[in-house]
Amino acid sequence: MKKILIILLAVLLIISGCSTGTPEVSKEPESIGAGNEINEDEQNEFVNDNEESTEEEIEIEDEDSPVTEDSVEEIQESKATEEAPLEEVAKEEPPVEEPSSEETDDENSLKIQGLAENELSLSLDELKAMNDIIFEADFYSLNNFGTTGYTHFKGVKLWDLLEGKAVIKPEATKVSIVAHDGYLIEFTVEQVKMEYMDETNSDNKYPIIIAWEENGKEYSTDEGAPYKLVVGQKEPGDINKPQWVSNIDAVIVE
Ligand SMILES: Nc1nc2c(c(=O)[nH]1)N[C@H]1C(S)=C(S)[C@@H](COP(=O)(O)O)O[C@H]1N2
Ligand SMILES: [Mo]
């Protein structure tokens, strides 16, 4: 009888000894497992893999588990790819709405910045209303590959815009035309002030203009800021087409 009791006690001890480990293991999958589509075997492995456990520990566990090292890596990867985008979406969503509408306004405005009494941010309508400085003509162009052509442009005279509207300061020497794509062309103030020519019509004189209309059609704002710089030739053979900066963002006076 004593023997049986001792054996029973021993058996109870063994059973209780084994079961103390299991609640701990079953607890952890609950906290991690949510949202992860992993089968039970993988889930156990996943628990061991959690945070502090090293790869060595995983290998030991592998002995009595069907999960291989490769599949552990897969789980790690799936954990990374499933969780990371969720965080990004949560971070990115809030700022998307308000600043984007401000940006849209900004993109379609023409800025005059730097050494000027009146730094300007002009809408297309404000520019079109400057009747006193509008210029319209066929401009001749020559590009790097020898291609030539005539294009009809309508816009405002850049020098009149800088002198009369922005009122650039007397110490200003340089005018940079900057596009939204980063394309930039620099002129001296003298080069902005001067008149340009057309090698095919020696009598014609052209100011530099900022155009919003090309061959009778206004630029679509879908294609970026609706302004193009148009410059004639300094002398016959002058390759002027590269200076026709499209999608102007700002005119910077220094
Ligand atoms: N914003 C912007 N304007 C630009 C350029 C550019 O890369 N970005 N390229 C210039 C060059 S090198 C040339 S030859 C002409 C080409 O004009 P097109 O595309 O109307 O032929 O645009 C000029 N204006
Ligand atoms: Mo070009």
Side-chain angles (χ1 to χ4, degrees):
M1 199 57 181
K2 262 189 188 175
K3 262 190 185 174
I4 293 167
L5 273 172
I6 287 163
I7 289 163
L8 261 170
L9 241 154
V11 167
L12 272 171
L13 272 170
I14 288 160
I15 290 168
S16 69
C18 286
S19 64
T20 47
T22 35
E24 281 171 37
V25 176
S26 66
K27 241 190 231 168
E28 288 180 67
E30 279 172 35
S31 58
I32 305 149
N36 279 311
E37 289 166 319
I38 298 166
N39 68 40
E40 267 182 54
D41 285 335
E42 283 172 330
Q43 212 167 45
N44 280 335
E45 209 43 63
F46 192 54
V47 170
N48 289 319
D49 176 38
N50 190 31
E51 323 295 356
E52 289 114 81
S53 73
T54 65
E55 279 198 21
E56 266 175 55
E57 282 174 304
I58 291 163
E59 276 171 36
I60 292 160
E61 286 297 316
D62 279 350
E63 282 168 24
D64 50 1
S65 157
V67 180
T68 64
E69 227 184 301
D70 277 349
S71 63
V72 168
E73 272 169 34
E74 272 170 38
I75 295 159
Q76 282 174 320
E77 272 172 36
S78 78
K79 188 189 172 192
T81 51
E82 278 171 32
E83 285 179 12
L86 282 175
E87 275 173 40
E88 274 172 36
V89 168
K91 272 179 210 160
E92 278 173 22
E93 256 181 56
V96 161
E97 289 173 36
E98 278 184 48
S100 72
S101 61
E102 275 171 35
E103 261 174 43
T104 308
D105 289 343
D106 250 12
E107 274 170 21
N108 294 332
S109 73
L110 178 73
K111 277 81 93 183
I112 315 287
Q113 297 165 337
L115 293 177
E117 298 299 334
N118 315 316
E119 287 191 309
L120 302 171
S121 180
L122 301 165
S123 68
L124 176 56
D125 285 340
E126 286 171 320
L127 207 64
K128 281 157 80 175
M130 294 178 173
N131 294 310
D132 50 331
I133 63 168
I134 287 174
F135 184 87
E136 189 173 349
D138 287 321
F139 282 76
Y140 174 80
S141 62
L142 173 62
N143 82 3
N144 325 54
F145 302 108
T147 311
T148 62
Y150 295 95
T151 315
H152 191 85
F153 287 105
K154 182 178 181 177
V156 288
K157 297 177 210 167
L158 178 58
W159 174 245
D160 290 1
L161 181 65
L162 294 181
E163 188 194 37
K165 313 289 180 183
V167 190
I168 65 167
K169 294 179 178 175
E171 64 264 36
T173 58
K174 191 170 107 179
V175 177
S176 304
I177 314 296
V178 187
H180 280 280
D181 64 356
Y183 194 72
L184 181 150
I185 296 282
E186 289 177 356
F187 295 92
T188 64
V189 164
E190 288 309 312
Q191 287 169 337
V192 174
K193 212 186 284 190
M194 69 181 258
E195 284 187 314
Y196 289 79
M197 55 101 62
D198 168 348
E199 65 186 13
T200 66
N201 296 289
S202 50
D203 295 338
N204 292 352
K205 298 284 175 229
Y206 305 87
I208 294 182
I209 67 167
I210 290 179
W212 60 79
E213 194 185 296
E214 179 171 330
N215 291 332
K217 252 187 95 181
E218 281 187 22
Y219 295 120
S220 162
T221 50
D222 295 345
E223 290 152 33
Y227 314 106
K228 186 183 276 189
L229 189 81
V230 186
V231 190
Q233 293 177 296
K234 286 197 271 300
E235 69 272 320
D238 182 18
I239 295 166
N240 62 330
K241 186 82 182 280
Q243 298 181 322
W244 292 12
V245 181
S246 54
N247 308 121
I248 302 171
D249 179 27
V251 176
I252 297 161
V253 184
E254 290 165 289

